[in-house]
Amino acid sequence: DSFVISKAKSYELPYETNDVLIEQLPQFIQYIYKEEIAKKSWNKHYLGICSSDYLIETDFLTVPKMSKDELSLFIGNKIAERFSVEKDKVVMNWLSYGGKGKEETEITSCCLFMDKESISRDYDFLLNKGIQGRYITSNLKVQFNIYKYQWKDKSSGDAVLIYFGHNKTRVTLVNNWKIVNSRELLIGLENFVQGYRDSTSSTEETHEMTYNNICDILFERGLPDRKSVV
């Protein structure tokens, strides 16, 4: 009932190896497979991709209680109408709440949809290299699932979930184990790292610190107070 991480590494793109510069995520995934997994075992691994490069939109709908196929068609039509997009050009997913009681005629859905073209292009590249992508998801859903499964016995189900990307931040409100709102902010770790550099510009140590060094400090201590910097 929980997530177990057996191995984790951090990399930065572009990534240079053997005089080859890797700039795109699909090519980097292929490189990791070659480095970490025996080729004969590639088809035994479950690949899930989550990338902030895939533009995601969220919407909240109250929909009639219906079958899964009917719900897919209904939500697709609603999203296409509300956002003026073509259904066949987006990838959609949703989380539905309620609807279990016989007296309930409506359910609430948190709908997620992403541009299909970029996802299909990356998926096809990996497939042509012998790597089977199983699913592509969003930071919002990954974070909510981790919260739901890791904290189900420790939390009331009410929370503010914050995901920091390099140049964007997503804030998600959860009430009674349901996502009730989610917003993306155009400020990310790069802004906080620059803020740290500005606040400690007078110290020699700061000039020698890498981006990752500062990120580690920010998550441990937060931004320093200018008054405390000598």
Side-chain angles (χ1 to χ4, degrees):
D1 292 333
S2 63
F3 295 85
V4 177
I5 299 174
S6 59
K7 191 173 186 178
K9 289 186 178 181
S10 296
Y11 299 88
E12 290 185 22
L13 294 180
Y15 181 78
E16 188 170 0
T17 175
N18 298 327
D19 297 325
V20 176
L21 187 65
I22 303 174
E23 299 185 89
Q24 302 299 323
L25 179 61
Q27 287 81 359
F28 184 70
I29 291 173
Q30 180 192 14
Y31 166 76
I32 293 297
Y33 262 65
K34 287 181 177 179
E35 291 293 309
E36 301 286 345
I37 306 171
K39 185 69 179 283
K40 63 181 180 181
S41 300
W42 282 17
N43 61 355
K44 297 179 182 179
H45 284 74
Y46 191 96
L47 174 64
I49 302 173
C50 179
S51 173
S52 57
D53 287 341
Y54 302 136
L55 299 178
I56 178 175
E57 293 287 351
T58 61
D59 196 19
F60 297 85
L61 300 173
T62 300
V63 300
K65 193 175 178 181
M66 55 182 68
S67 70
K68 185 176 181 179
D69 289 341
E70 291 174 327
L71 186 60
S72 176
L73 181 62
F74 182 90
I75 289 178
N77 289 336
K78 281 291 185 182
I79 292 297
E81 177 185 336
R82 289 163 69 94
F83 290 88
S84 299
V85 296
E86 297 180 39
K87 287 191 297 181
D88 60 348
K89 292 186 177 181
V90 296
V91 175
M92 289 188 297
N93 199 350
W94 62 87
L95 301 167
S96 295
Y97 312 110
K100 295 182 179 180
K102 292 183 179 180
E103 71 284 355
E104 294 183 75
T105 59
E106 294 182 328
I107 58 176
T108 301
S109 289
C110 170
C111 309
L112 320 170
F113 60 99
M114 295 171 276
D115 176 55
K116 186 176 182 178
E117 183 179 359
S118 57
I119 293 174
S120 297
R121 181 177 60 247
D122 292 351
Y123 182 89
D124 290 342
F125 172 87
L126 293 171
L127 196 60
N128 289 333
K129 300 300 181 181
I131 301 172
Q132 177 69 58
R134 299 300 178 89
Y135 72 91
I136 295 175
T137 187
S138 66
N139 294 323
L140 185 158
K141 193 169 182 182
V142 169
Q143 191 177 41
F144 176 67
N145 284 343
I146 291 174
Y147 169 65
K148 183 171 63 174
Y149 292 114
Q150 296 285 72
W151 293 86
K152 62 182 179 181
D153 297 325
K154 307 172 186 176
S155 172
S156 64
D158 301 324
V160 178
L161 308 180
I162 303 176
Y163 171 81
F164 291 104
H166 290 294
N167 48 34
K168 293 179 182 178
T169 297
R170 178 166 288 277
V171 180
T172 301
L173 302 182
V174 180
N175 176 244
N176 193 25
W177 300 106
K178 301 174 185 177
I179 297 175
V180 295
N181 209 334
S182 184
R183 290 289 184 270
E184 192 172 71
L185 310 177
L186 297 179
I187 183 173
L189 284 174
E190 291 178 349
N191 303 95
F192 291 105
V193 167
Q194 187 58 51
Y196 183 92
R197 291 190 187 280
D198 293 341
S199 297
T200 59
S201 58
S202 60
T203 63
E204 184 177 344
E205 181 185 3
T206 300
H207 297 289
E208 300 176 356
M209 295 175 67
T210 66
Y211 179 88
N212 286 334
N213 291 152
I214 296 177
C215 285
D216 291 340
I217 290 176
L218 288 175
F219 283 119
E220 291 176 6
R221 311 174 195 168
L223 282 172
D225 186 340
R226 280 184 179 273
K227 296 180 181 179
S228 65
V229 178
V230 179

